[in-house]
Amino acid sequence: MAEQADQPSVLSVSGLDVTFRTLRGEVKAVSDVSFTLKRGEVLALVGESGSGKSVSTRAVMGIVRGNASISAKRMQLAGHDLLTLDEDAKRKLRGRVISLVFQDALSALNPVLSIGDQLGELYRTHLGISKKEARERSIELLRAVRIASADRRIDDFPHQFSGGMRQRILIALAIALKPEVLIADEPTTALDVTVQAQILDLLDELREELGMAMLLITHDLGVVARTAERVAVMYAGRIVETGAVDDIFRAPAHPYTAALMASAPRIETVEKLEPIRGAPPSLIALPPGCAFHPRCARRGELCDKVRPELVAGPNGRSHACHYPLVEIAHG
Amino acid sequence: MAEPILAARGLSKTFRAGGALFGKPFHAVKDVSLAVAPGETLSVVGESGCGKSTLARMLVGLETPDEGEILFRGAPIRRDKALRRQVQMVFQDPYLSLNPRRTVLDIIAEPLDVHGLAKGAARRQRVEELLDSVGLDPAAATRFPHEFSGGQRQRIGIARALAAEPSVLVCDEPVSALDVSVQAQVVNLLIDLQKRLEIAIIFIAHDLAVVRAISSRVMVMYLGRAVEMGAADQVLVTPSHPYTVALRGSALEPDPARARLARGTAARGEPPNPVDPPPGCRFNPRCPRATDICRGEEPLLTPRPGTTAVACYHPVGREQLVGA
């Protein structure tokens, strides 16, 4: 996206490591992850379960569970240095500057509070406005996420809404304070097909209206294709390939990206699906060298010995592979 | 079509929402008929609440239909255990559908025990054969479900379903809980098994792309009714019922150009509460083509020569789909 190339970055992370201590050993959930998000753009973090995509963004939000150790070389959010900021200051950024839409709308909402109370509480805490004004703002917010008869539904409880409507309410909570960065963690995974498309459309419209940047976490290449401009593919806690969505879908460089695409079924054509053999590795005992090598069809001499570094090429593309499908560093 | 091995005629099932006594009755499945031939896969597609899982449960005998009958090679199944054996089920969640306290051997051998098919060494041998046929190491027999990944557990579920040597496999969303790369493994396994064993498969799903990979024919359900049925390519690539068109437009494909075209075209609204279906065609409140007739008499699934059967007064023609 040409116009976004000049935009300043609103979120910039480099060298992020997240390690969990467990009874069975240290789990390196995220290793040396770096990415930047420019104002107004959509970056997708895509990967299978256990790839570290959710943990990375939770580390940025500062909401990883207690037994984790997090370190990074750099973590900048809209002019704030997240590495030096104290807990109190970070809390103030959440909601106002960076915000998160969770996956499961039923468990993320409080079942015993009305929607109006939950939205109103947010306004009263952060903006210190009156109950009446908070209520009015909440109704406006419900309208913004296209909930019909918002002025009547404001007093309803979460269970009185359908799954799609609850997801809209979660989005309303996340955008209430007009954040600059919205993290959407599998925002449509639990929804029906037609509703899924509606929610993606809504996120897209809101992003444009509010000028937010969006970090989209998903396992679904179809969601990436529809919504994102850039994509970072994660495997076993590391980014293995990044670039513009069009470039990567046209010609993936990393064999894992290519294999993921070949395993995804399509409607227009019936080709035999090509699954990736085996299963994602355990993060406690990662294979030596490239973590993908035991499943890789292009495995060569180096792959089980030397871990490939992420190599940057032109057009913001990079990959971590000794034997890539496309040579991007020179071309 | 070849002689059907399993057929259902006019199946209906009513549940009561909010209690068996005072709840309001609603049709989970209403007047649905289908047939599958050996070696064929019929997929049943629809969103939550469309009745596809209830339909699957009736076909394997986990629910009793209120109306209609299920025929195996033309004979009503009812309570006949020998006929029941011929129709087996693969469940959606490989984490919940395997008993965590039993070994893989005992899990897979359960149908053998129930139907008295094998004992002792023969039982063990049969389980090892089954494990091998679903691509697992026969040594897995002595292990427990938690030692396996999601994809491997689904293979165990398939091996269990195959143990009774069924002619029909009913698979209820068998890959929706799995990672993409693993999904393809399980889909390919089902396709291979079908070729090898000449079984018929009824594949329940909400993901059109997965359905396309495995199906010969597709039935689309909406709020308990079949709304479109026909050859997989016709239903999925050139759909006729406005609901199928909406599903198709909402499907997320790993193709950026195509996917961006679909932005902003999502179907309106959500499936209504099945307790209070709208009068007439159940899709009419969400349908861009609805007219007065659609709010009157409910349209019935009507066969059309050379194309899909559709329950709609205003089916979408081929010409209108170009560029959509």
Side-chain angles (χ1 to χ4, degrees):
Chain A
M1 303 285 125
E3 72 263 37
Q4 270 147 13
D6 323 319
Q7 289 282 355
S9 71
V10 61
L11 175 64
S12 151
V13 173
S14 87
L16 176 66
D17 287 313
V18 182
T19 308
F20 291 95
R21 286 180 299 279
T22 71
L23 292 175
R24 289 164 64 205
E26 278 207 339
V27 178
K28 278 212 105 178
V30 175
S31 303
D32 195 19
V33 159
S34 304
F35 59 85
T36 55
L37 186 63
K38 297 195 181 77
R39 214 163 278 284
E41 85 166 339
V42 184
L43 169 68
L45 285 185
V46 66
E48 298 181 273
S49 34
S51 62
K53 54 193 194 299
S54 289
V55 176
S56 308
T57 48
R58 278 171 166 66
V60 173
M61 285 286 284
I63 52 167
V64 181
R65 277 180 305 139
N67 65 349
S69 62
I70 300 171
S71 68
K73 291 199 192 84
R74 180 186 157 89
M75 229 197 260
Q76 288 270 343
L77 172 67
H80 305 273
D81 183 358
L82 294 178
L83 294 174
T84 55
L85 231 48
D86 63 40
E87 202 36 55
D88 212 38
K90 273 200 261 185
R91 190 165 46 237
K92 289 201 174 108
L93 296 180
R94 283 178 219 138
R96 280 173 196 261
V97 182
I98 190 165
S99 193
L100 178 65
V101 180
F102 289 95
Q103 180 177 148
D104 181 354
L106 194 53
S107 55
L109 291 168
N110 187 336
V112 298
L113 287 181
S114 76
I115 296 306
D117 285 343
Q118 295 185 53
L119 290 170
E121 182 190 4
L122 186 98
Y123 278 127
R124 283 185 286 124
T125 320
H126 281 272
L127 305 181
I129 56 179
S130 72
K131 232 178 164 167
K132 185 164 170 283
E133 201 184 336
R135 185 182 165 88
E136 274 162 21
R137 285 234 193 170
S138 304
I139 294 172
E140 263 171 52
L141 195 58
L142 287 185
R143 287 203 186 102
V145 295
R146 330 279 189 258
I147 286 182
S149 334
D151 48 340
R152 280 191 291 113
R153 303 228 59 187
I154 187 93
D155 296 316
D156 285 352
F157 290 83
H159 74 269
Q160 292 169 291
F161 292 86
S162 67
M165 288 296 146
R166 280 197 292 263
Q167 196 63 32
R168 284 170 196 269
I169 292 164
L170 272 201
I171 292 172
L173 279 166
I175 62 158
L177 302 171
K178 301 193 167 60
E180 293 182 54
V181 177
L182 183 69
I183 300 176
D185 188 355
E186 304 268 10
T188 60
T189 304
L191 303 173
D192 270 326
V193 189
T194 56
V195 182
Q196 189 173 26
Q198 291 168 10
I199 295 292
L200 290 178
D201 283 348
L202 174 67
L203 283 171
D204 210 47
E205 289 160 27
L206 291 172
R207 183 180 63 85
E208 247 166 56
E209 282 171 33
L210 302 173
M212 293 181 298
M214 190 156 85
L215 194 54
L216 178 72
I217 300 163
T218 182
H219 68 281
D220 188 334
L221 291 174
V223 172
V224 177
R226 184 173 176 128
T227 316
E229 285 139 4
R230 283 194 307 128
V231 58
V233 182
M234 292 192 70
Y235 188 78
R238 290 180 183 272
I239 292 180
V240 296
E241 179 161 16
T242 61
V245 165
D246 289 280
D247 293 345
I248 288 190
F249 277 72
R250 196 184 312 116
H254 198 287
Y256 174 64
T257 315
L260 207 54
M261 287 179 189
S263 66
R266 287 154 204 260
I267 297 177
E268 292 295 322
T269 51
V270 201
E271 282 163 31
K272 193 164 162 48
L273 304 179
E274 291 176 39
I276 308 177
R277 57 187 164 176
S282 154
L283 295 170
I284 293 181
L286 282 176
C290 169
F292 185 58
H293 87 260
R295 307 176 73 190
C296 184
R298 290 174 66 81
R299 175 175 64 215
E301 231 177 281
L302 281 173
C303 301
D304 59 352
K305 299 184 185 72
V306 186
R307 188 172 52 72
E309 296 292 329
L310 200 63
V311 183
N315 305 323
R317 274 194 86 165
S318 58
H319 62 64
C321 178
H322 295 303
Y323 308 102
L325 290 146
V326 203
E327 240 357 296
I328 54 169
H330 313 292
Chain B
M1 194 175 81
E3 197 57 34
I5 185 135
L6 185 76
R9 286 209 201 116
L11 289 186
S12 293
K13 180 74 189 176
T14 311
F15 291 117
R16 281 175 184 275
L21 271 182
F22 304 107
K24 217 176 158 200
F26 70 95
H27 273 103
V29 173
K30 195 172 178 191
D31 195 15
V32 168
S33 301
L34 57 83
V36 270
E40 186 195 42
T41 299
L42 170 70
S43 285
V44 181
V45 186
E47 298 178 274
S48 45
C50 75
K52 58 189 193 299
S53 288
T54 305
L55 178 66
R57 294 171 66 81
M58 286 194 281
L59 292 174
V60 295
L62 290 171
E63 296 287 353
T64 316
D66 296 334
E67 282 167 54
E69 58 180 355
I70 299 162
L71 307 168
F72 184 80
R73 288 191 216 281
I77 289 189
R78 299 212 181 89
R79 292 183 193 284
D80 187 325
K81 198 167 146 191
L83 286 184
R84 281 259 170 266
R85 201 188 106 194
Q86 297 288 338
V87 187
Q88 292 291 328
M89 182 136 170
V90 176
F91 294 90
Q92 172 174 7
D93 191 326
Y95 294 87
L96 293 177
S97 58
L98 304 178
N99 187 333
R101 304 181 61 173
R102 305 188 74 190
T103 60
V104 169
L105 173 70
D106 286 340
I107 289 171
I108 296 178
E110 188 167 5
L112 302 177
D113 303 340
V114 169
H115 297 285
L117 298 175
K119 281 203 175 89
R123 175 178 182 264
R124 172 81 189 222
Q125 197 194 338
R126 177 79 183 116
V127 168
E128 290 181 353
E129 279 169 25
L130 286 162
L131 282 169
D132 185 55
S133 73
V134 296
L136 290 175
D137 183 353
T142 53
R143 293 160 63 189
F144 288 89
H146 75 264
E147 299 174 57
F148 297 89
S149 68
Q152 289 171 325
R153 285 181 208 216
Q154 201 52 295
R155 287 172 193 267
I156 294 169
I158 293 169
R160 172 176 62 187
L162 292 174
E165 293 172 52
S167 317
V168 184
L169 220 48
V170 178
C171 305
D172 187 6
E173 304 250 17
V175 297
S176 57
L178 305 177
D179 269 325
V180 194
S181 69
V182 180
Q183 252 186 17
Q185 292 174 4
V186 174
V187 167
N188 283 354
L189 172 66
L190 286 170
I191 294 172
D192 290 346
L193 287 170
Q194 178 170 51
K195 280 196 193 125
R196 235 188 302 154
L197 305 172
E198 267 292 292
I199 44 177
I201 294 181
I202 293 176
F203 191 89
I204 314 286
H206 67 276
D207 181 336
L208 296 192
V210 171
V211 163
R212 175 76 166 138
I214 197 172
S215 319
S216 346
R217 287 185 306 126
V218 174
M219 176 165 100
V220 182
M221 290 184 72
Y222 187 76
L223 281 187
R225 286 274 197 185
V227 297
E228 184 162 7
M229 169 130 76
D233 55 339
Q234 288 181 334
V235 174
L236 299 176
V237 183
T238 54
S240 297
H241 195 286
Y243 176 62
T244 320
V245 174
L247 270 185
R248 178 71 180 78
S250 306
L252 299 165
E253 289 191 87
D255 175 342
R258 196 175 266 286
R260 280 181 205 133
L261 273 181
R263 275 187 194 171
T265 62
R268 297 179 281 173
E270 292 184 46
N273 187 343
V275 177
D276 266 318
C281 170
R282 293 171 176 222
F283 187 58
N284 87 69
R286 301 176 72 192
C287 183
R289 299 167 78 87
T291 58
D292 283 344
I293 185 178
C294 306
R295 290 176 274 273
E297 195 77 12
E298 192 167 4
L300 297 175
L301 195 68
T302 316
R304 300 175 300 162
T307 180
T308 62
V310 61
C312 177
Y313 295 115
H314 311 295
V316 179
R318 254 158 220 272
E319 69 290 346
Q320 278 150 311
L321 276 170
V322 176

